[in-house]
Amino acid sequence: MDKDFVVGIDIGGQSSKLGIVDARGEVLAQSVVKANPSADAAVIVKELAEAVLRLVAQSGKHGQIRGIGVGAPNGNYYTGSIAFAPNLPWAANGEVKFAKMLSEACGGIPVSLTNDANAAAVGEMTYGVAKGMKNFIMITLGTGVGSGIVVNGEVLYGSDGFAGELGHTIAVRHNGRACGCGRNGCLEAYCSAIGVARTAREWLDISGEPSLLREVDNITSKDVYEAAKEGDKVALRVFDYTGRILGQKLADFIAFSAPEAIVLFGGLARAKEFIYEPTLNAMNDNVLNLWKGKVKLLFSQLKESDAAILGASALAWEL
Amino acid sequence: MDKDFVVGIDIGGQSSKLGIVDARGEVLAQSVVKANPSADAAVIVKELAEAVLRLVAQSGKHGQIRGIGVGAPNGNYYTGSIAFAPNLPWAANGEVKFAKMLSEACGGIPVSLTNDANAAAVGEMTYGVAKGMKNFIMITLGTGVGSGIVVNGEVLYGSDGFAGELGHTIAVRHNGRACGCGRNGCLEAYCSAIGVARTAREWLDISGEPSLLREVDNITSKDVYEAAKEGDKVALRVFDYTGRILGQKLADFIAFSAPEAIVLFGGLARAKEFIYEPTLNAMNDNVLNLWKGKVKLLFSQLKESDAAILGASALAWEL
């Protein structure tokens, strides 16, 4: 029987999503496994394998699965391991040989694994706005800031599989904000969902300017987005600032790999109406003359619920 | 007859060096062509071609040259052109199809061209301290700061052939120095020979601290090096500062491509005794935990006079 289908799994801190995908990038069936915060790696793998096999059986694709692609925080393509992933209790304090374990638990179906941002880049190259591109940079603007760098049509993994940590390059060197990685001034501390909320809270603290956000307890980036949609000036300036910091760094990234495009993805990319212009302007204002106006700034258009599964599944076609 | 030899040409603003190289990286014969500041591209190519053919004839290798590799400022591997190179009057204001012109002038010997920093990276990978490495970053610290990035054993050229302009990523975002590229705060404005001299001059202007450099008119980086060798405290601090700025940026570069090593090359790299420690310390202090202490900081050890020729010649083996 031809093996014309793959499984994509997106491992997250709250839940993992999985789906069966055909060669055209249609998600034929999908399901969700809620995170079990007290389970160890063996239990997590067993639960996921059961969910995979159930989904395969339900959709009548037994024997037709070519492979399983997994995107996971701190996933390493070379080793197939997930290691020291702060948001995954079962992989927070050591190395879990996830690809090997999952393949065994699924009766030997081959498993390929990478980090979530690289998976998103592969998905975008296979099914999304980067289709046909050989050189682009994917920036995922979510709880954190991740990146997947594609060079000559392949994800850049570097010497150890961990290349592309652009969220942890320095955006603000002088009195930069503390970042979750233990350093200061990282791009992630400014241009993540958490960074946006923090910018709003800091600005409200130091100014007396009226804002819809003053009525909100424990401001999130979603609150800032809602306020911006109402025309709130503080919220609009927060996005402007966020886009400016992002665009400045994008200019540096361009000097590295001369990509055809930068693709933004993730929760914050949904605020395109507010961050597109400041980001693009800062990128072009700060980039070397030879690239001014030449590098595209694109936003992922993959269907929200499918994007993570598609990205992970695309890995499995190479198996 | 077997074609077992290649020619390497290093094009510079003052002079161009050329040599015949065998497969073991021995420079069998070499010569220099002085820059002719009033000549146009056609004349420059003709002079160089004559020098190549003379050298080939003198060394009895007629018919045995596989190809010619050229390293040139603003050289583009994809197009074979040199374009808008400020230090080359004959290529400063437009695009010169150099590879094609030189090949024709040399009776059809194939020519491959890239920028000087990429050529240095290829040379280091073929003959130098990066031999056998698949992922490393070459930083050339000369009049300017250039870079050649090697990923999976190949130079990263990006979508347009201009990837790897790390000298023009921003080192100092706040009140950064004006750079020759028209922007402010570039790494090149601090960590080039010109940057070192400028740091020394600025510091002497704002402090009354005694220094050997106060007796020097129009301080160069070489003067700073000589003073540092004499134990001059200002000169030593200039190198310390230069290394610190460089190391901070190297930490960011590591987050991009996760190289096995960073290789420093060029005039300023000769001040290894003064910049190695501050650079390495700043790199490890500023890099993400996962790379702390893991990425090697190496200095090119190719014989000074041969390095540029070897780097360029290594390109020609791929022809």
Side-chain angles (χ1 to χ4, degrees), chain B residues 48 82 203 281 312:
Chain B
L48 265 173
I82 303 174
W203 288 8
N281 291 342

Side-chain angles (χ1 to χ4, degrees), chain A residues 18-299:
Chain A
L18 58 157
I20 296 180
V21 181
D22 69 15
R24 290 194 316 260
E26 292 285 334
V27 180
L28 306 179
Q30 55 180 295
S31 66
V32 173
V33 177
K34 280 212 173 151
N36 178 345
S38 59
D40 66 8
V43 172
I44 295 285
V45 168
K46 187 163 167 284
E47 287 176 358
L48 266 174
E50 284 167 5
V52 168
L53 297 175
R54 201 179 316 128
L55 199 65
V56 170
Q58 281 167 359
S59 44
K61 303 296 182 217
H62 188 75
Q64 299 174 62
I65 303 298
R66 183 180 304 201
I68 301 171
V70 181
N74 291 33
N76 188 300
Y77 180 74
Y78 290 151
T79 62
S81 296
I82 303 173
F84 300 100
N87 298 323
L88 305 175
W90 50 276
N93 301 309
E95 185 185 359
V96 174
K97 296 192 180 308
F98 191 84
K100 187 166 176 285
M101 289 167 75
L102 184 65
S103 176
E104 285 169 4
C106 289
I109 299 176
V111 174
S112 185
L113 177 145
T114 190
N115 83 29
D116 38 2
N118 288 337
V122 174
E124 212 61 54
M125 180 166 54
T126 316
Y127 305 113
V129 293
K131 204 166 174 170
M133 286 188 195
K134 296 275 185 198
N135 292 277
F136 69 98
I137 299 178
M138 181 87 177
I139 305 282
T140 61
L141 304 167
T143 317
V145 173
S147 64
I149 302 161
V150 172
V151 167
N152 280 339
E154 294 188 355
V155 172
L156 196 171
Y157 289 113
S159 64
D160 56 11
F162 291 115
E165 283 289 352
L166 300 185
H168 297 286
T169 58
I170 303 304
V172 177
R173 204 167 287 282
H174 204 67
N175 290 324
R177 284 180 188 165
C179 179
C181 72
R183 303 176 310 148
N184 293 300
C186 291
L187 180 61
E188 172 164 308
Y190 294 85
C191 298
S192 60
I194 289 171
V196 164
R198 185 163 165 190
T199 302
R201 280 187 245 122
E202 282 181 8
W203 288 9
L204 292 171
D205 276 355
I206 57 171
S207 93
E209 194 175 348
S211 166
L212 296 169
L213 292 167
R214 294 205 180 272
E215 289 149 40
V216 182
D217 285 335
N218 208 356
I219 296 169
T220 65
S221 63
K222 190 158 176 292
D223 297 323
V224 183
Y225 178 65
E226 297 298 337
K229 284 216 286 192
E230 300 290 320
D232 185 85
K233 282 185 183 163
V234 172
L236 288 167
R237 278 213 313 281
V238 168
F239 281 115
D240 193 68
Y241 174 78
T242 306
R244 228 161 52 224
I245 298 230
L246 178 59
Q248 286 175 350
K249 289 304 288 181
L250 295 183
D252 273 6
F253 303 162
I254 292 169
F256 205 102
S257 69
E260 187 178 337
I262 307 242
V263 182
L264 302 183
F265 177 94
L268 207 59
R270 268 173 266 163
K272 177 178 175 182
E273 58 199 296
F274 305 121
I275 67 164
Y276 175 69
E277 268 191 51
T279 305
L280 184 68
N281 290 342
M283 181 176 106
N284 281 320
D285 286 350
N286 285 278
V287 82
L288 266 179
N289 277 329
L290 80 105
W291 288 300
K292 263 189 215 305
K294 291 199 181 147
V295 181
K296 300 182 201 93
L297 179 66
L298 304 174
F299 286 68

